[in-house]
Amino acid sequence: MKKGIWMGLLLLLAISAVPFIQNFSIPDHIPAHSQTTDEMPVTSSKVEGEAGPLQLLNKLTGISGNTAEASELDDLRIIPGGQSIGVQLHTLGVLVVGHHQVKGKEGMESPGEKANIKVGDVILKMNGKDIKKMEDVKPIVEKAGENNKPVNVTIKRGENKIKTKLDPVKNKEDNYLIGLYIRDSAAGIGTMTFYDKESKKYGALGHVISDMDTQKPIEIYNGTIVRSTVTSIQKGDNGKPGEKQATFSMEEDKIGSITKNSPFGIFGKLNQPLNDGDYTKPMPVAQSHEVKEGPAKILTVIEGEKVEEFDVEIVSSVPQSRPAKKGMIVQITDPELLKKTGGIVQGMSGSPIIQDGKIIGAVTHVFVNDPTSGYGVHIEWMLQEAGIIDGDMQEKAS
């Protein structure tokens, strides 16, 4: 019986050998009347009328729109990204993504569910041993089953650590089952936003990576980014975001590590420089109060590995005095990009936005019923998450 199935486990993303990888979903629009959360945007139509774009952004960020004074950010220079990157995350422990019913003495049951292990829980320890990957689970469960003893399990649920016990069930093939689907890694593609030549720190994606089954942010143990090549694009349409399709290998061309998966993107350090034609010179950055409604550019890849510049319009932008994920509304206006992609597509998350020679933010969300438009995050919050600037600096500047 295939590895993983014998225990009722499911390895959903054994991705390193798979040449074509799905994108991390780019979140969609959150309507003004919905309860908003950091983890799970609600699919809805674009809001018009009563709460226009600027008013909607004010509700989401909760700020008054006061401008900031000049700060140390005026002297900061970073290199814009735009490169397509492959991303692999390894979870902290193993993530429970489902329950599996198995036949035991008492009929069909899931030992894991019976032990009150829930979808979204992270298994940290079994019988006192750290669990870092799925292969760590098999020998512990097997030994416990053979000795007719329960498995002592430590799980992380939110901010809490919980201890429980589960009893493996022996099936007719003499395999011991725990009735859980688990995963220890996730992979996809996104876009590099910026990197700092001196510190080698970078930021990408502009939004958190969540597990596709639990819809909860992935707590990472470590991760890797590599170069990826865009092979084709599925155009977006009303009600259906498009996507980039790309190839990459996690065994080759490793360009950096991932140390943080946050609401503002993924962050870490590069181990080799990124040299991409016209976009290798450091650029100044703009604070949120400097962003203006009007023309801007984004950098992204739509074919191969070539970073290109495309026209967009900043429909609205809100000055922000504290970190907030949705600071501006961006509309794609470039005829070539609209022809190729239909607007903002999955895999474009993190594409840097440039206005008046400054990096102002990154594309992060798409409006599902208008794929030409979406949200962007202000660059200062990504810089703060990357550790290039600190929160005290921003609080003082704002």
Side-chain angles (χ1 to χ4, degrees), residues 13 15 18-27 82-89 186-193 202 204-210 218 224-234 242-250 255 258 261 265-266 300-305 341 345-351 363-364:
L13 284 174
I15 52 75
V18 181
F20 286 86
I21 307 296
Q22 271 196 325
N23 299 292
F24 293 121
S25 296
I26 187 167
Q83 299 86 358
S84 180
I85 56 173
V87 178
Q88 183 179 36
L89 296 179
I189 69 166
T191 302
M192 178 71 70
T193 304
Y202 76 86
L205 293 187
H207 64 74
V208 72
I209 299 175
S210 297
I218 295 174
T224 304
I225 60 171
V226 300
R227 287 184 176 274
S228 73
T229 302
V230 176
T231 56
S232 62
I233 292 177
Q234 180 179 324
E243 66 175 7
K244 294 182 183 181
Q245 294 180 337
T247 63
F248 65 86
S249 169
M250 296 310 303
I255 58 175
I258 303 170
N261 176 33
I266 57 171
T300 200
V301 176
I302 60 173
E303 185 175 357
E305 296 184 21
T341 68
V345 297
Q346 296 178 39
M348 199 179 284
S349 303
S351 298
V363 175
T364 61

Side-chain angles (χ1 to χ4, degrees), residues 122-131 151-155:
V122 177
I123 298 176
L124 300 176
K125 290 178 180 289
M126 282 184 153
N127 285 347
K129 296 183 179 180
D130 291 337
I131 302 298
V151 179
N152 296 305
V153 184
T154 301
I155 60 174

Side-chain angles (χ1 to χ4, degrees), residues 144-203:
E146 290 173 350
N147 293 332
N148 197 29
K149 292 183 178 180
V151 179
N152 296 305
V153 184
T154 301
I155 60 174
K156 187 173 187 293
R157 182 177 298 161
E159 298 301 318
N160 301 317
K161 288 185 179 179
I162 301 169
K163 293 185 177 181
T164 185
K165 293 184 178 183
L166 66 79
D167 295 299
V169 171
K170 189 176 183 179
N171 68 0
K172 61 183 180 180
E173 286 86 14
D174 292 333
N175 297 317
Y176 288 97
L177 311 177
I178 60 174
L180 295 174
Y181 293 116
I182 61 175
R183 176 159 52 240
D184 61 7
S185 64
I189 69 166
T191 302
M192 178 71 70
T193 304
F194 65 85
Y195 54 100
D196 177 48
K197 192 173 183 179
E198 292 186 7
S199 67
K200 295 182 170 49
K201 294 177 179 178
Y202 76 86

Side-chain angles (χ1 to χ4, degrees), residues 68-76 287 289 393-394 396-398:
E69 298 297 328
S71 74
E72 295 177 51
L73 281 174
D74 293 338
D75 299 322
L76 181 64
Q287 295 179 69
H289 75 277
M393 180 197 299
Q394 269 312 96
K396 181 177 180 181
S398 299

Side-chain angles (χ1 to χ4, degrees), residues 112-128:
E113 186 174 21
K114 192 174 180 180
N116 196 34
I117 298 175
K118 299 181 178 181
V119 172
D121 287 348
V122 177
I123 298 176
L124 300 176
K125 290 178 180 289
M126 282 184 153
N127 285 347

Side-chain angles (χ1 to χ4, degrees), residues 196-316:
D196 177 48
K197 192 173 183 179
E198 292 186 7
S199 67
K200 295 182 170 49
K201 294 177 179 178
Y202 76 86
L205 293 187
H207 64 74
V208 72
I209 299 175
S210 297
D211 180 77
M212 64 182 182
D213 291 301
T214 67
Q215 298 299 315
K216 294 182 179 180
I218 295 174
E219 294 189 60
I220 67 168
Y221 172 66
N222 59 39
T224 304
I225 60 171
V226 300
R227 287 184 176 274
S228 73
T229 302
V230 176
T231 56
S232 62
I233 292 177
Q234 180 179 324
K235 288 184 67 172
D237 201 354
N238 289 347
K240 185 180 180 182
E243 66 175 7
K244 294 182 183 181
Q245 294 180 337
T247 63
F248 65 86
S249 169
M250 296 310 303
E251 303 303 319
E252 301 175 1
D253 301 324
K254 293 181 180 180
I255 58 175
S257 61
I258 303 170
T259 57
K260 182 185 288 188
N261 176 33
S262 89
F264 297 92
I266 57 171
F267 303 90
K269 283 192 173 184
L270 298 179
N271 53 34
Q272 60 178 268
L274 296 176
N275 298 311
D276 290 276
D278 299 330
Y279 309 104
T280 58
K281 294 182 178 180
M283 298 180 66
V285 300
Q287 295 179 69
S288 61
H289 75 277
E290 297 178 280
V291 179
K292 303 177 295 186
E293 295 179 7
K297 306 277 187 180
I298 65 167
L299 302 180
T300 200
V301 176
I302 60 173
E303 185 175 357
E305 296 184 21
K306 184 181 179 182
V307 178
E308 297 183 75
E309 183 180 86
F310 299 100
D311 293 324
V312 300
E313 185 87 4
I314 306 301
V315 177
S316 64

